[in-house]
Amino acid sequence: MAGNGDQVAALLFWGGDIIKRGYMGSVDYSEQSKTMCFLSRRSGHKGVVEEELAAMNSRGVKATSLDALFGKYPKTVPGGKVVCDAIPLTDDRSWNWFLQGALASCNRDLVHLYAVAGLGTGMKIFLNICDRGKSKMRILDVESTNTVGDLMEQIEVLEGISGDKMRLYFDCQVLCPDFTLGYYGVENESALDLFPRQ
């Protein structure tokens, strides 16, 4: 059931209760798989998440993000017993490690991906842009799962300020592009300050 060339088939699960059972913590869902897709073996984690979200949205789930994604594949342990490993997929490294194990397993052509959808944590924030002694306020629509980098891209489109010239602050703390707004405790109607570098 392998895909063409460098592709691997994936059964996609979401919406059920995650249940743990069996030897070595085998993980499964209480519902059947929802669909199937083919993933390139050279895919990055971001591409895998995008494929999962696209599949969910095509079936009526208005998912804006994934709160969790993990993969499962069967493997043979000493004694000939087949068990399933469940691997949290959080970045390129974990995805590549999972895929290498899956492709070396007894079922190398099929992996299972389990998703917990983030159905939206939409909120409005106030952005105070302080530039050359002048101040301008903007109201932006964001999600708590957006990274600061995502917010900076949104600001660049609206204000024409490049990301490398932005200093964003919330609660007297400089915000790092790699972390989410939720990580910093940004909530609905929070106020952030932007100081463009000259």
Side-chain angles (χ1 to χ4, degrees):
M1 196 169 216
N4 296 328
D6 74 334
Q7 293 185 319
V8 61
L11 285 178
L12 307 182
F13 297 77
W14 65 82
D17 295 323
I18 299 172
I19 51 178
K20 293 189 175 182
R21 62 182 180 210
Y23 185 64
M24 290 181 64
S26 172
V27 177
D28 216 332
Y29 256 158
S30 59
E31 296 183 12
Q32 297 297 313
S33 63
K34 298 292 197 296
T35 189
M36 179 180 171
C37 72
F38 291 96
L39 300 169
S40 168
R41 299 179 192 197
R42 293 187 294 256
S43 292
H45 176 260
K46 183 178 180 181
V48 174
V49 169
E50 288 172 352
E51 286 282 347
E52 180 85 39
L53 287 172
M56 296 170 85
N57 285 313
S58 72
R59 283 158 177 75
V61 179
K62 300 303 179 192
T64 57
S65 64
L66 296 183
D67 291 338
L69 179 67
F70 60 92
K72 185 180 81 167
Y73 64 86
K75 72 174 184 178
T76 304
V77 296
K81 189 173 182 76
V82 176
V83 298
C84 288
D85 268 356
I87 311 296
L89 305 177
T90 57
D91 54 21
D92 283 349
R93 184 177 178 185
S94 59
W95 165 249
N96 291 332
W97 189 78
F98 164 73
L99 199 55
Q100 286 175 13
L103 297 177
S105 75
C106 60
N107 190 14
R108 67 185 61 214
D109 295 333
L110 183 65
V111 297
H112 292 190
L113 295 180
Y114 298 81
V116 179
L119 297 179
T121 50
M123 55 190 185
K124 294 188 182 300
I125 60 169
F126 300 101
L127 180 69
N128 184 35
I129 304 169
C130 307
D131 189 15
R132 297 183 181 127
K134 295 181 181 177
S135 182
K136 176 168 74 170
M137 180 71 69
R138 267 201 178 269
I139 299 173
L140 302 175
D141 293 310
V142 296
E143 306 272 340
S144 66
T145 53
N146 289 153
T147 65
V148 174
D150 295 333
L151 175 60
M152 292 168 87
E153 288 178 11
Q154 186 177 355
I155 295 168
E156 184 170 358
V157 169
L158 295 171
E159 295 293 326
I161 304 168
S162 64
D164 61 345
K165 295 198 185 241
M166 292 185 206
R167 286 179 298 157
L168 274 170
Y169 292 84
F170 175 65
D171 200 21
C172 300
Q173 185 176 13
V174 179
L175 305 186
C176 172
D178 297 330
F179 292 95
T180 65
L181 296 175
Y183 171 85
Y184 287 109
V186 175
E187 300 175 339
N188 191 42
E189 299 186 352
S190 288
L192 280 69
D193 295 305
L194 169 64
F195 294 87
R197 292 190 180 101
Q198 302 306 319

